[in-house]
Amino acid sequence: MKRIDVSEESYNNVTNILASIAKPFHVRKGEYLQRAGVPATQVHWLASGVARSGFFNRDGAEMTLRFYREGESATTLTDLINGETGQPAVQFLIAETPVHGFTIDWKLASALRSQNEGMQQYHLSIALHGLQTLAQHAYSSGETSAQERLVAFREEYPGLEARISQRAIASYLGITPQYMSRLRREAEAASGEPRA
């Protein structure tokens, strides 16, 4: 709630509305919640675990855009909107850890949202938070050193580094896993303490 700047009352109200269409799901680490190339139709609300969104560039390399944690909706909004007309998703969503949560059909949720002003405001807050997160990532990717991007990652996602693969973090930072290892060693040497 604090991350997306919504009140507990608003969060509970929307949760109660969506409960009627939510279906439990579970995926193992490495399984896709959404595949690129397939129309996106579901929102994935995470009760536990971490998911990652990204895309494949023209060379086929995986590019990570953001991470989703407990209490967040793992959603690629533009893909959901495009999925309404059957267009394939550009982004993927993949489980970085085992994930438990609820899937919500996008069309059913949109119909409920159109009838509820509080839900409209709630989803606007989520969309704005997502845009802000992506804009900050774009800025730090283009204007800072890899070391500064690692610091920004640690600030944006406190505690996440110990839960996910070094490869996923390197993809998010736009560096190789080998360079990521070097950055971590340098950070450990500078602090005098090994990182978990």
Side-chain angles (χ1 to χ4, degrees), residues 72 111 143:
E72 294 182 325
E143 298 294 331

Side-chain angles (χ1 to χ4, degrees), residues 13 20 51 60-61 85 87 91 106 108 112 133 139 165 177 179 182:
N13 180 47
S20 64
T85 57
Q87 295 177 55
Q91 296 181 49
W106 172 250
L108 292 175
L112 290 171
T133 300
Y139 170 74
S165 72
Y179 190 50
R182 182 175 147 200

Side-chain angles (χ1 to χ4, degrees), residues 52 62 64 67 96 164-173 177:
R52 173 172 61 96
E62 203 176 88
T64 296
F67 297 94
E96 282 298 309
I164 61 176
S165 72
Q166 184 170 291
R167 184 179 152 278
I169 299 168
S171 173
Y172 180 78
L173 299 177

Side-chain angles (χ1 to χ4, degrees), residues 114-193:
S114 70
Q115 301 166 16
N116 186 295
E117 189 174 327
M119 198 169 166
Q120 291 168 20
Q121 288 299 319
Y122 177 85
H123 282 112
L124 178 60
S125 293
I126 290 174
L128 290 174
H129 174 73
L131 287 172
Q132 186 178 26
T133 300
L134 288 175
Q136 183 59 42
H137 177 58
Y139 170 74
S140 63
S141 293
E143 298 294 331
T144 59
S145 70
Q147 193 166 29
E148 291 168 323
R149 292 194 303 272
L150 179 58
V151 169
F153 165 82
R154 289 173 175 163
E155 289 173 0
E156 173 68 20
Y157 300 105
L160 191 59
E161 189 172 357
R163 298 176 64 192
I164 61 176
S165 72
Q166 184 170 291
R167 184 179 152 278
I169 299 168
S171 173
Y172 180 78
L173 299 177
I175 60 176
T176 65
Q178 294 79 10
Y179 190 50
M180 176 69 193
S181 290
R182 182 175 147 200
L183 287 177
R184 290 179 86 180
R185 283 193 306 274
E186 289 171 359
E188 289 171 10
S191 72
E193 295 179 23

